[in-house]
Amino acid sequence: MFLNRLAAEPSLYLAPLLGCLLAGLSMAAQALPEDRDQPIRITADQALRDEKQGFTVYSGNVNMDQGTLHIDADRITVYHMEEEADRIVAEGSPAHLQQQPEPEKPLVHAEARVIEYFKAEDRVQLRQAAKIEQEGSIVTGDTIDYFITEQLVRADSDQADTGSRVEVVIPAQAIQEQDSDRGDTDSD
């Protein structure tokens, strides 16, 4: 039976599905190649650039686009110690991100109260009511980290809240496709 195999070997199913699900979050490394070459367009009600401190804050109905990457937030702060952005923080109730990771793949949708990209670490972090979805697969938790270079996903619950848990929903179709890709025809 599939559930017995899943219980005995969860990493065979969960790791590849989580990896595929979160692959689209990498803003540059995993996006469509054309995305990186596209200009960044930000619209907002207000913008404040502080050259001395090295940041720009966009606030009020903020939209950020670069190729297939689209972010909606109440506030986006771009930290730029060098010429390029070192860190980008999107905040909202919740902030939303969507991107097409590859030409043949559907959009990845993510949301959290805080979405943060760390360029030096090549990491995207979703914090506070984090959720990410692609092709019906859903991961939720208090925090979801995606380490782009390592293709490592870590989802955590709020340890202070006993009712807080990480939840992974994998559609039956994805499990069946995983089985057929592996040549697994066991039907017990």
Side-chain angles (χ1 to χ4, degrees):
M1 179 175 216
F2 169 75
L3 292 177
N4 290 339
R5 288 195 317 268
L6 179 59
E9 306 171 273
S11 64
L12 285 177
Y13 298 96
L14 296 181
L17 288 170
L18 282 173
C20 290
L21 179 62
L22 292 172
L25 278 182
S26 68
M27 291 195 188
Q30 297 287 64
L32 290 176
E34 304 84 46
D35 282 359
R36 178 178 267 169
D37 298 329
Q38 299 297 315
I40 296 174
R41 177 180 301 260
I42 301 175
T43 59
D45 294 337
Q46 295 180 331
L48 170 68
R49 182 172 175 97
D50 187 328
E51 289 289 334
K52 275 186 155 180
Q53 299 295 321
F55 66 84
T56 305
V57 177
Y58 301 90
S59 57
N61 192 26
V62 184
N63 297 293
M64 179 176 143
D65 291 294
Q66 184 180 25
T68 66
L69 171 68
H70 179 76
I71 298 175
D72 291 318
D74 297 331
R75 174 183 170 124
I76 292 180
T77 305
V78 179
Y79 296 90
H80 39 83
M81 298 318 254
E82 302 292 326
E83 291 265 333
E84 297 179 14
D86 300 311
R87 185 167 60 108
I88 299 172
V89 180
E91 300 169 275
S93 302
H96 295 271
L97 176 149
Q98 75 175 30
Q99 186 170 35
Q100 185 172 6
E102 296 175 32
E104 303 302 317
K105 296 268 185 181
L107 291 174
V108 171
H109 296 273
E111 67 179 49
R113 290 192 185 105
V114 179
I115 300 173
E116 192 162 2
Y117 173 65
F118 301 89
K119 182 179 179 185
E121 298 172 34
D122 211 15
R123 174 172 64 105
V124 174
Q125 182 180 71
L126 306 172
R127 288 194 313 268
Q128 301 175 16
K131 177 182 177 181
I132 186 162
E133 179 177 358
Q134 184 180 33
E135 294 187 79
S137 294
I138 302 169
V139 178
T140 60
D142 188 57
T143 304
I144 300 172
D145 282 293
Y146 178 54
F147 298 87
I148 299 161
T149 305
E150 294 86 8
Q151 295 184 8
L152 174 70
V153 176
R154 182 180 66 214
D156 293 307
S157 61
D158 181 356
Q159 298 298 313
D161 181 358
T162 57
S164 176
R165 306 271 294 173
V166 169
E167 182 177 10
V168 178
V169 177
I170 305 167
Q173 179 182 357
I175 295 167
Q176 292 164 356
E177 288 172 4
Q178 278 277 342
D179 283 346
S180 69
D181 288 347
R182 290 182 35 233
D184 192 354
T185 58
D186 186 13
S187 60
D188 22 296

